[in-house]
Amino acid sequence: MKNLVILGGGYGGMKILNELLPNHLPENVTITLIDRVPYHCLKTEYYALAAGTISDKEIRVAFPEHSRLDVIYGEVTGIDTKDRKVILKDAEPVSFDDLIIGLGCEDNYHDVPGAEQFTYSIQSIEKSRLTYSVLNNLGPGSVVGIVGAGLSGVELASELSESREDLNIKLFDRGNHILSSFPERLSKYVENWFVRNNVEIINNSNITKVEENKLYNHDQPIDCNVIVWTAGIQASKIVRDMEGEKDRSGRMVISPLHHLPNDEHIFILGDCASLPHAPSAQLAEGQAEQIVEVLKRRWKGEAPPASFPQIKLKGILGSLGKKHGFGMMAERPITGRVARLLKSGILWMYKFHKG
Ligand SMILES: Cc1cc2nc3c(=O)[nH]c(=O)nc-3n(C[C@H](O)[C@H](O)[C@H](O)COP(=O)(O)OP(=O)(O)OC[C@H]3O[C@@H](n4cnc5c(N)ncnc54)[C@H](O)[C@@H]3O)c2cc1C
């Protein structure tokens, strides 16, 4: 028996499972899935969990069941690539023949002093729950500082402003306009939405230090009751600690077939992999399909393709509370209720398909 070990049952890991099970797993291969959470989590909805507008249960999806799938609930602490073993906290190591590393990402604090210690996060379910509890226990008129106005910062600020109209929300961003990776027209639409909904945007900010209940913008102190960090991500520490070439965000540089350049049995997936697009759930899923193709061919004794075409992405959608949204579909900006409906529809389809 050969053992395919998948680290992380996120968007990438789940796609691998759903592609291989129930019918495409050869009789002589077993799968071991290892995750610190006992179900698949819909990470794209963590902003709503933190804002208190959805319940925890709504963003859990059960892992599939199969006689040759073993699910281990545990914390991965390292990978021994030479001895072909995954090291777990307080448990025996797990041996692999093929390994897929899809452990996602963590906040990147860009060496800002105090940021890691004194800010809250929405990058994992455990941290999002903690953020939910501090945000929703705040008294009226409390100040919430959100650092970083990319997709997740914007979604959190808008959802929180609808959830808690009594809070004073300040959204800090480095650029002239928020959502710097989107066309300016779209950024302005979102900025106007924030103006109408009493979220203060502080453009051209530079957070130089964070202390308890205080952040420093260009060294000027601003009192906040809670600070949430949404100002960038980096690959999981497990991958950052592995040997091999990585990009500026600690993501592993991989071969055209998604494995380590010097080891064709260790694949790097999703937010852990250095790919030509910004990390996203869609990208992780597209990459998972290609990894499955490589494995299936190899298991049949066939040569894998020399390379794959670029992964096609359908676009990106963000929410502004429960009624409005924005995004890029087929390279065209879309805004308003249609964008929000599309986003809800995609989430529903995803849950319906996987659940
Ligand atoms: C608020 C927010 C909104 C987003 N919106 C969108 C969107 O609209 N569209 C989009 O495409 N993308 C969106 N993203 C990005 C998307 O969520 C990620 O790109 C995607 O989750 C990456 O998938 P993955 O499989 O690489 O990792 P993940 O889905 O993060 O899965 C990683 C898995 O690894 C497990 N894990 C991590 N470390 C360990 C460890 N040491 N031991 C054991 N298990 C571990 C985790 O529990 C998790 O199950 C959003 C992200 C956020 C935070």
Side-chain angles (χ1 to χ4, degrees), residues 47-333:
Y47 70 91
L49 180 67
T53 56
I54 56 166
S55 77
D56 205 283
K57 191 166 184 295
E58 283 171 72
I59 57 167
R60 300 180 207 151
V61 174
F63 290 132
E65 287 180 14
H66 189 274
S67 55
R68 275 177 288 121
L69 169 66
D70 183 20
V71 180
I72 297 182
Y73 168 60
E75 180 77 24
V76 176
T77 56
I79 296 160
D80 183 340
T81 54
K82 289 202 181 65
D83 280 348
R84 317 309 263 174
K85 278 184 187 142
V86 175
I87 316 298
L88 300 179
K89 187 178 168 201
D90 303 330
E92 288 299 307
V94 176
S95 299
F96 62 84
D97 296 287
D98 288 291
L99 178 69
I100 301 176
I101 306 173
L103 293 170
C105 66
E106 299 168 4
D107 292 290
N108 189 342
Y109 297 102
H110 308 288
D111 296 324
V112 173
E116 182 166 6
Q117 199 180 348
F118 297 114
T119 67
Y120 290 87
S121 162
I122 55 168
Q123 281 306 331
S124 72
I125 188 128
E126 304 86 346
K127 289 180 177 171
S128 303
R129 285 173 184 143
L130 190 62
T131 306
Y132 158 78
S133 105
V134 291
L135 287 176
N136 288 280
N137 280 322
L138 284 171
S142 298
V143 178
V144 177
I146 298 175
V147 182
L151 181 65
S152 51
V154 162
E155 291 193 316
L156 177 65
S158 55
E159 195 80 7
L160 187 61
S161 76
E162 277 191 1
S163 175
R164 293 281 315 262
E165 285 179 26
D166 58 320
L167 295 178
N168 177 355
I169 303 169
K170 293 176 190 291
L171 181 57
F172 293 85
D173 196 57
R174 281 189 91 95
N176 289 329
H177 289 288
I178 61 172
L179 291 168
S180 55
S181 59
F182 288 80
E184 197 172 310
R185 194 190 115 193
L186 232 152
S187 302
K188 284 188 176 159
Y189 168 82
V190 176
E191 283 173 352
N192 287 334
W193 190 95
F194 280 132
V195 171
R196 289 200 305 280
N197 288 274
N198 296 323
V199 173
E200 186 186 352
I201 300 171
I202 297 128
N203 290 122
N204 299 307
S205 59
N206 180 21
I207 305 306
T208 46
K209 187 166 73 168
V210 186
E211 291 174 349
E212 193 166 8
N213 298 332
K214 200 178 291 233
L215 55 77
Y216 290 78
N217 184 20
H218 295 281
D219 297 325
Q220 296 302 308
I222 298 167
D223 289 325
C224 296
N225 297 88
V226 169
I227 304 162
V228 187
W229 192 265
T230 53
I233 53 169
Q234 57 185 339
S236 152
K237 185 163 185 329
I238 305 292
V239 169
R240 298 203 314 275
D241 286 349
M242 284 174 70
E243 276 177 26
E245 188 187 346
K246 284 146 226 154
D247 67 16
R248 279 192 313 147
S249 301
R251 292 186 279 253
M252 188 68 83
V253 173
I254 49 175
S255 76
L257 300 186
H258 309 295
H259 52 67
L260 292 179
N262 60 355
D263 193 329
E264 62 177 26
H265 294 283
I266 300 183
F267 297 86
I268 312 285
L269 176 61
D271 288 359
C272 293
S274 183
L275 292 164
H277 300 284
S280 71
Q282 264 185 81
L283 185 62
E285 290 197 293
Q287 202 199 354
E289 281 176 11
Q290 297 188 346
I291 292 175
V292 166
E293 191 56 33
V294 175
L295 287 172
K296 283 203 299 199
R297 290 211 199 180
R298 250 198 232 150
W299 287 334
K300 280 192 217 153
E302 294 171 8
S307 62
F308 285 107
Q310 267 220 7
I311 297 165
K312 281 211 179 79
L313 301 176
K314 294 191 187 84
I316 186 116
L317 290 165
S319 66
L320 292 170
K322 292 286 183 246
K323 294 201 183 100
H324 298 98
F326 61 93
M328 296 291 294
M329 293 300 281
E331 295 182 19
R332 290 226 181 97

